[in-house]
Amino acid sequence: MTKLQAKNIVKTFDHNGNSVLVLDSINLNVEEGDFVCIVGPSGCGKSTFLNIIAGLEQPDSGEILLNGKPISTAGPDRTMVFQEGALFPWLKVIDNVEFGLKIAGIPKDERRLISQRYLDMMQLTKFADSYVYQLSTGMKQRIAIARALAMDPEILLMDEPFAALDSQTRDLLLVELQLIWERTKKTIIFVTHNISESVVLGNRVAVFKNRPSQIKKEITIDYRRPRLSEDENLQKYYHQIVQELKSEVKAQIKDEFQ
Amino acid sequence: MIQNIISKKNSFANLDDAANVVLSLAVFIGVWQLVFMLGIWPKIALPSPLIVAESFAKIILNHTLLQGVGVTLGRLLVGFAISFTLGMLIGFTMIRFKGFGKTLNSFSAGLLSFPSIAWVPFSILLIGFNDLGILFVVIMSSIFSIMISTYGSIRNIPPIYLDAARNMGAKGLSLFSHVTIPAAAPSLIVGIRQAWSFAWHAIIGAEILMSIVGLGHILSVGREFLDMGQVIASMITIFTIGLLADRLLLFKLEEKVRRKWGLDYHR
Ligand SMILES: Nc1ncnc2c1ncn2[C@@H]1O[C@H](COP(=O)(O)OP(=O)(O)OP(=O)(O)O)[C@@H](O)[C@H]1O
Ligand SMILES: [Mg+2]
C-alpha cells in the first residue's frame, strides 16, 4: 500500500527580493514500511522537502498524500528529527524525550517507561536529568532521535540525524535503526549527505538534482539486513550513487561561486 | 561531586558578596559622617548618620513607617498585578492579530518612555484624589512595558522550537503553554523586571503628590516640616525595599531561567 505520495511538489523561496525555485516538481512514492534515503548536493532542497512532508512548510503547488488523503497541517503521525536537533532548552533531557507523549496525554508512568527505553538505546540514561546545554552536539542529536522514536509515528522523517556523530556511534546507530525498522516496520524517509549511510540504510536511494531540484534517479538496493557500512557488496551501489552525484555537486559548487 | 563544587563556589561567592556589602556600607557612612563634620551644609540640610538613625527610630516607634510600607506595598501589588495580567493579555492579543500588534507596539513604545509623574494631573482630574487614582498611575506606568515585552519576546522565539512542537502534535493551548511561554521566558522576565521598577517609581511619585498615607507621603511630610532626617530615612527605606524585591524575587527568577537554559555559560 502506498503510505505517502508526493505529487509534483514545487517550492520557491523569496531570496532578498528574487524568487528562487528550489523544488521543481518532486514526485516520490513511498510504500508502507519502506525505507527511503534522499541524497543530494547541499542547498538542493532536501530539508525543504521534508518540511513540506511534515506539513511545516506549504508547497506552491502539488500535494502530499498520506494514506491517500492530502495533508494540510503538521501532525505527530509524521515525526521529524530536525537537522539542527531543535531540543527545548527549558526542559530536562528526559522531558524533551517525553514531550510529544505528554502532549498526546499519555500518563506519566507510561511516559517514563518509553523514554527510559529510548534513552537506554541511545546510551544516554545517565543524562536524563541534564539540561540541553550540558550535552555535546552528538548527544543532542541522539536525544532528538530518541524523542522522535518515542512518539512511535507512522512515518519517521530524519534530516541528517547522524551528521554530528563519531563513526563508532554512527555505526552502532546504523545497525540499531535497521533493527528498529525491521521490528516496527516503520516507514522512514532519511536525508543524508553521506552516501555510504544511504546505501546501508535505504531500500531505495533517491538522488536529488542540484537546484532547481528534481529526483534525478532512484536506486533500489536489494540486499540482506542488517547491513554494515564496511560490507564490500554495497560498494557497487555506492559507486553508482557517487557517479550520479558527481555532476550535481560540480554544478552546485559552480552555482555558488558565480 | 560537581554539585558539591558548585555549591561551595556559591557559598564563597555569597560570603564575598556579604563582605562587599558591609564594606561598601561602612565606607558610605564614613564618608557621609566626614562630610557632615566638615560643616559645608547646615545640619538641617545634611544631618549626620546618627540623626537619621534617630528619625528612623521615631517613625518606627510611632508606627508611621510600618503603616506607610504596608499601604504602599499593598497599592503596588494590586496595581502591578492588574498591569501584569492586563499587559500579558493585550500582548497575546497583539501576537494573535498582527496588524493590531504592529500598530499598538509603536504606540506603546512612545508611552514606554513617558514619565510616570506626568500621568498624575491626568489621573487626578479623571479619577480623583484617591487610591484608585494612584492605582491608575501605577498601571499606566508599567503596563506598556509588559505589553511590549510580551509581544517582543514571543515574536523573537526561534521558529524551530515552534516547528518542532507542532511536529510533535502541539497546537493551540498546549503549544502556547508548553512552548510559547517557556521559550519566551528569558526575555519576558527582563521586561517584567523593568515593569516592576517603573511601577515602583510611579507609586512613590504618585504618593508624594496625591496621598495622605504611604511611603511617598512620609517623604513629603518630611519635606514640609523641614525634617531632612525623615526624608533620608524614607529614602533609605524605599531603596531597601526596591533592592530586596528585585534581588529576592525577580532577579532570582531570571537567574533560575538563565541557568536552566545555560545562558550563563557565555565565555
Ligand atoms: N526560509 C527560507 N527562506 C528563503 N530561502 C530558503 C529558506 N529555507 C531554505 N531556503 C533556500 O532553499 C534552498 C534549499 O534549502 P534546504 O535547507 O532545503 O537545503 P538542503 O538540501 O537541506 O541543504 P543541506 O544539505 O545543506 O542541509 C537553499 O537554497 C536555501 O537558501
Ligand atoms: Mg538540510
Side-chain angles (χ1 to χ4, degrees):
Chain A
M1 195 188 104
T2 306
K3 186 77 190 167
L4 186 108
Q5 203 176 2
K7 283 167 84 175
N8 303 314
I9 298 291
V10 175
K11 180 75 185 172
T12 47
F13 276 118
D14 176 63
H15 232 270
N16 308 328
N18 305 326
S19 90
V20 177
L21 179 59
V22 175
L23 300 178
D24 182 13
S25 195
I26 301 278
N27 287 289
L28 185 70
N29 279 336
V30 183
E31 295 300 308
E32 173 142 32
D34 207 351
F35 199 144
V36 178
C37 287
I38 295 176
V39 296
S42 178
C44 73
K46 304 181 294 295
S47 298
T48 305
F49 183 54
L50 280 197
N51 279 329
I52 290 174
I53 296 176
L56 295 169
E57 193 96 66
Q58 297 302 320
D60 299 347
S61 65
E63 59 181 354
I64 302 287
L65 303 179
L66 179 67
N67 300 319
K69 287 193 244 358
I71 60 132
S72 51
T73 53
D77 47 2
R78 287 151 284 147
T79 309
M80 174 99 106
V81 179
F82 290 87
Q83 193 167 8
E84 309 89 340
L87 299 175
F88 300 134
W90 58 90
L91 293 178
K92 288 178 176 170
V93 162
I94 190 161
D95 296 322
N96 263 292
V97 175
E98 291 177 11
F99 183 88
L101 305 172
K102 188 168 181 181
I103 296 291
I106 292 171
K108 185 161 182 169
D109 300 343
E110 208 173 318
R111 292 203 309 256
R112 282 289 120 112
L113 284 177
I114 299 172
S115 61
Q116 289 298 350
R117 184 159 84 237
Y118 289 104
L119 281 175
D120 270 351
M121 182 183 295
M122 297 298 150
Q123 304 187 336
L124 286 169
T125 316
K126 271 200 313 219
F127 293 87
D129 289 324
S130 304
Y131 283 99
V132 175
Y133 74 94
Q134 294 167 315
L135 308 176
S136 74
T137 314
M139 287 154 93
K140 285 180 205 159
Q141 210 44 274
R142 280 183 280 154
I143 300 294
I145 297 168
R147 177 172 81 171
L149 290 175
M151 304 266 316
D152 193 23
E154 290 183 45
I155 299 186
L156 201 51
L157 306 170
M158 306 182 86
D159 197 353
E160 305 196 19
F162 298 162
L165 303 181
D166 62 279
S167 61
Q168 292 97 305
T169 313
R170 172 184 312 192
D171 285 345
L172 218 73
L173 288 182
L174 281 176
V175 173
E176 194 67 62
L177 187 58
Q178 292 179 73
L179 294 178
I180 291 173
W181 174 75
E182 287 192 320
R183 199 169 60 234
T184 60
K185 282 293 160 212
K186 291 222 170 313
T187 309
I188 301 181
I189 303 179
F190 189 105
V191 167
T192 174
H193 58 246
N194 184 318
I195 301 167
S196 88
E197 208 168 274
S198 74
V199 294
V200 170
L201 290 176
N203 285 349
R204 273 188 300 152
V205 178
V207 180
F208 270 45
K209 269 178 46 169
N210 189 36
R211 225 174 36 227
S213 245
Q214 287 170 338
I215 293 182
K216 186 178 186 191
K217 181 123 192 169
E218 285 186 29
I219 292 154
T220 304
I221 297 170
D222 195 5
Y223 190 63
R224 63 172 173 77
R225 288 179 189 269
R227 305 168 188 159
L228 300 173
S229 35
E230 58 269 18
D231 195 322
E232 293 289 333
N233 296 316
L234 291 172
Q235 286 294 321
K236 68 169 192 236
Y237 300 107
Y238 181 90
H239 289 296
Q240 202 180 341
I241 296 170
V242 170
Q243 279 310 319
E244 294 294 341
L245 270 176
K246 233 179 203 160
S247 52
E248 297 309 321
V249 172
K250 258 189 209 143
Q252 184 251 337
I253 288 173
K254 217 173 100 194
D255 245 25
E256 259 163 35
F257 280 85
Q258 257 168 12
Chain B
M1 163 84 175
I2 291 175
Q3 224 58 34
N4 231 328
I5 295 174
I6 289 173
S7 74
K8 231 182 203 154
K9 215 167 116 190
N10 273 346
S11 70
F12 278 135
N14 281 343
L15 261 182
D16 248 25
D17 281 354
N20 273 329
V21 169
V22 170
L23 193 69
S24 323
L25 264 179
V27 170
F28 177 72
I29 293 175
V31 171
W32 177 2
Q33 177 69 29
L34 206 71
V35 173
F36 172 75
M37 290 194 308
L38 288 176
I40 306 171
W41 285 278
K43 204 161 139 184
I44 191 165
L46 184 74
S48 73
L50 191 66
I51 297 173
V52 171
E54 280 165 5
S55 293
F56 243 126
K58 189 190 80 197
I59 52 177
I60 288 173
L61 288 179
N62 69 15
H63 300 298
T64 42
L65 185 68
L66 197 65
Q67 192 209 8
V69 169
V71 168
T72 302
L73 285 184
R75 285 170 174 160
L76 181 67
L77 287 181
V78 172
F80 189 69
I82 294 174
S83 139
F84 181 84
T85 318
L86 216 58
M88 286 271 203
L89 288 177
I90 299 174
F92 299 150
T93 319
M94 289 163 74
I95 293 287
R96 186 76 184 63
F97 303 98
K98 292 212 170 71
F100 169 71
K102 219 169 151 186
T103 316
L104 198 55
N105 192 44
S106 340
F107 181 71
S108 313
L111 282 174
L112 191 62
S113 52
F114 193 74
S116 51
I117 285 290
W119 283 106
V120 169
F122 182 80
S123 174
I124 290 174
L125 293 180
L126 185 74
I127 297 173
F129 209 86
N130 52 30
D131 270 12
L132 278 182
I134 295 176
L135 275 187
F136 180 79
V137 175
V138 171
I139 293 169
M140 293 316 275
S141 306
S142 53
I143 195 167
F144 298 104
S145 172
I146 301 264
M147 276 161 55
I148 287 184
S149 80
T150 306
Y151 178 71
S153 320
I154 294 180
R155 268 167 49 103
N156 285 338
I157 296 174
I160 186 85
Y161 294 146
L162 301 172
D163 277 355
R166 290 200 294 138
N167 180 250
M168 288 183 285
K171 55 181 168 228
L173 206 61
S174 69
L175 181 68
F176 184 76
S177 63
H178 289 294
V179 180
T180 310
I181 292 296
S187 93
L188 201 53
I189 292 173
V190 175
I192 292 170
R193 263 179 92 187
Q194 188 195 37
W196 171 263
S197 83
F198 284 175
W200 187 225
H201 298 176
I203 185 83
I204 299 298
E207 280 183 350
I208 290 177
L209 295 170
M210 7 177 359
S211 178
I212 47 166
V213 275
L215 270 175
H217 179 251
I218 299 176
L219 191 62
S220 121
V221 167
R223 181 189 63 93
E224 273 162 34
F225 289 88
L226 302 180
D227 185 351
M228 190 59 151
Q230 179 164 330
V231 168
I232 295 180
S234 10
M235 283 171 70
I236 292 177
T237 312
I238 291 169
F239 166 81
T240 312
I241 293 176
L243 186 73
L244 288 182
D246 187 71
R247 289 289 121 167
L248 296 186
L249 246 66
L250 297 166
F251 183 71
K252 273 261 165 69
L253 195 65
E254 187 181 330
E255 287 292 280
K256 197 174 147 197
V257 172
R258 291 178 60 83
R259 243 199 323 278
K260 238 186 187 182
W261 282 60
L263 293 174
D264 280 338
Y265 286 76
H266 287 302
R267 283 167 284 261

